[in-house]
Amino acid sequence: MSPRDQDLMERYIYAVTRRLPRAQREEIADELRELIGDMLEADPAAGMEGVLLELGDPAEFAGRYASPDQCLIGPAYFENYKWLLKVVLLCATIPVSLLSLASGVIEHWTDGFYQAIVRGLTDGITNAVTAGLTGFGAVTLVFAAVERYERRGREGERRWTPADLREEPSSARFREARQPSAGKFSASPPSWDPSGLSPVPDKKARISRGDSIASIVFIVIFCALLVFIPNLFFLVISREGIDGNWLLSSEIDRIPIFNLDEWGRILPFFVLSLGIGLADEVIRLVRGCYCRTVMVSGIICGAVQIALSVWLLKFLPLFNPELPERLAEARETLGEAAWVAGWNGELVTSFLLALIVLITLLEMGTTVYKTLRYAPKAA
């Protein structure tokens, strides 16, 4: 092998191995040197450049060899990931931007028209960008976790190596192995086996895609509102009755429902609970039918959400402590015109907690029943 050929070979090997994990580079480099030598010996007329052309672009060659663990989200879930990401970004940015705009205008209306508009636009754009980045991160994290979980069951699959190309070391073999349309090799024997296909699930075992999407949209929008404009949740009491300009009137009381002074303590538990619900819905969407994975996810997520709900409603000051006093003042001021009712915090929290527990247990029970009754045996 001439010095020029040796230099070309080393350049190619470097271009391939620098894209691979450091722990594998030396072993792969030795395999490639042996492989290139065998190819050059089998077809001397092709020369080093011809052999390297047969192997193809170094980046593509490295990608063919790379472990699936190097992909954050693999091809099995990438299309669902892209589609859901678009839905989440739209649901997170559009409502947040519009409501932030409206909230900013209302809050600063007394400062003047132009000041209110500028502040509303600033809040809308800032919150929309932040909500979009948050939604992107949440969806990516959930899909990456699902991808890692699925790979655990494929750890024993055979991985392709450059040594596979030595089975028929002839230039004709390599020309046939290379697919011009895809620009990749197909030399390695397939690790996928049709006999491993899951059975078609019973219609009653299938999870409605529309239900999962609706749940995801609700979770994303509600979470975005809680994070960026929690003051949007308020009661309105007009001192002069309700008129056409009640929302912008200075003669109204806006009473926040949540305890915004303690919001820094409360919000993380809200976000954690909604994030767990989002992860469960994504797993349902990806799986598409009731199975063991969906059942285990539903049980764990449901139990954690019930525990978080108990903590939020019974151990944290979730609601505005001024609500009872402010509502009592409104009734005294407005008399018979008051449309507000009394506020019993203990009763409200107990009712909400009972409702959440009931709905969650029903959902968990339905998931367990449908999984045991209708799920495919192989799932």
Side-chain angles (χ1 to χ4, degrees):
M1 186 180 300
S2 67
R4 181 179 179 277
D5 289 348
Q6 183 73 31
D7 180 61
L8 281 176
M9 180 180 70
E10 293 301 326
R11 290 187 187 186
Y12 185 87
I13 292 173
Y14 171 76
V16 171
T17 55
R18 73 184 180 88
R19 294 177 169 88
L20 299 175
R22 186 177 299 275
Q24 300 177 354
R25 290 177 184 176
E26 186 174 349
E27 179 184 357
I28 301 305
D30 292 339
E31 289 184 354
L32 277 174
R33 290 187 185 96
E34 186 178 352
L35 170 64
I36 293 172
D38 291 345
M39 293 176 64
L40 188 61
E41 183 179 351
D43 190 4
M48 180 59 69
E49 291 187 4
V51 168
L52 299 182
L53 285 173
E54 294 290 353
L55 289 177
D57 185 275
E60 295 178 1
F61 194 96
R64 187 71 169 86
Y65 180 81
S67 166
D69 294 336
Q70 294 177 255
C71 301
L72 183 63
I73 299 171
Y77 297 116
F78 191 68
E79 288 302 319
N80 279 332
Y81 166 73
K82 287 197 305 180
W83 175 84
L84 183 60
L85 187 60
K86 294 175 184 177
V87 173
V88 168
L89 290 179
L90 288 175
C91 294
T93 56
I94 294 178
V96 167
S97 60
L98 295 178
L99 291 173
S100 296
L101 172 62
S103 178
V105 170
I106 293 171
E107 185 177 352
H108 299 277
W109 185 257
T110 55
D111 298 337
F113 175 78
Y114 292 107
Q115 289 84 349
I117 294 298
V118 170
R119 184 57 184 268
L121 287 173
T122 303
D123 290 348
I125 294 173
T126 302
N127 289 341
V129 171
T130 308
L133 293 174
T134 303
F136 173 81
V139 173
T140 303
L141 179 63
V142 171
F143 269 89
V146 173
E147 178 77 21
R148 290 297 180 274
Y149 174 79
E150 289 295 316
R151 284 177 188 166
R152 289 170 55 189
R154 303 196 298 264
E155 289 179 352
E157 289 184 358
R158 180 182 181 278
R159 294 178 180 177
W160 180 87
T161 69
D164 292 330
L165 295 176
R166 276 195 286 263
E167 294 174 358
E168 297 179 28
S170 67
S171 58
R173 161 74 162 84
F174 295 108
R175 280 191 292 270
E176 292 173 1
R178 184 170 175 78
Q179 301 294 331
S181 59
K184 294 183 179 181
F185 282 88
S186 61
S188 96
S191 58
W192 174 76
D193 185 358
S195 62
L197 287 171
S198 300
V200 177
D202 188 285
K203 288 185 178 181
K204 295 181 180 179
R206 299 176 188 177
I207 298 175
S208 171
R209 186 183 180 93
D211 291 347
S212 296
I213 295 170
S215 298
I216 291 171
V217 169
F218 171 78
I219 290 172
V220 170
I221 293 178
F222 187 53
C223 184
L225 295 181
L226 290 175
V227 171
F228 299 106
I229 38 180
N231 57 348
L232 187 69
F233 300 90
F234 57 81
L235 297 178
V236 177
I237 301 175
S238 175
R239 301 189 185 97
E240 298 180 349
I242 302 299
D243 56 30
N245 297 319
W246 67 272
L247 193 59
L248 299 177
S249 173
S250 60
E251 299 299 323
I252 65 171
D253 284 331
R254 302 183 187 90
I255 307 176
I257 295 176
F258 298 122
N259 187 355
L260 299 183
D261 292 334
E262 298 288 339
W263 200 238
R265 292 173 53 199
I266 297 169
L267 182 60
F269 293 95
F270 256 129
V271 172
L272 179 59
S273 179
L274 292 171
I276 290 172
L278 175 65
D280 186 42
E281 291 298 335
V282 169
I283 291 174
R284 288 170 173 263
L285 180 65
V286 169
R287 283 296 188 173
C289 69
Y290 291 98
C291 60
R292 184 177 61 181
T293 301
V294 171
M295 182 177 69
V296 172
S297 170
I299 293 174
I300 294 176
C301 292
V304 174
Q305 285 182 311
I306 289 176
L308 290 173
S309 299
V310 172
W311 184 258
L312 271 170
L313 294 170
K314 292 299 183 181
F315 296 97
L316 290 178
L318 177 60
F319 296 108
N320 185 357
E322 297 180 2
L323 269 176
E325 180 182 352
R326 299 284 296 276
L327 292 177
E329 290 177 358
R331 285 196 302 275
E332 293 177 1
T333 302
L334 298 178
E336 295 181 357
W339 54 270
V340 295
W343 177 267
N344 187 326
E346 185 66 26
L347 180 61
V348 171
T349 55
S350 297
F351 173 77
L352 289 176
L353 181 59
L355 185 63
I356 291 171
V357 171
L358 178 61
I359 293 175
T360 305
L361 290 177
L362 285 175
E363 182 67 26
M364 292 167 62
T366 301
T367 300
V368 171
Y369 171 76
K370 289 191 174 183
T371 300
L372 298 178
R373 180 70 176 83
Y374 301 113
K377 300 302 181 183

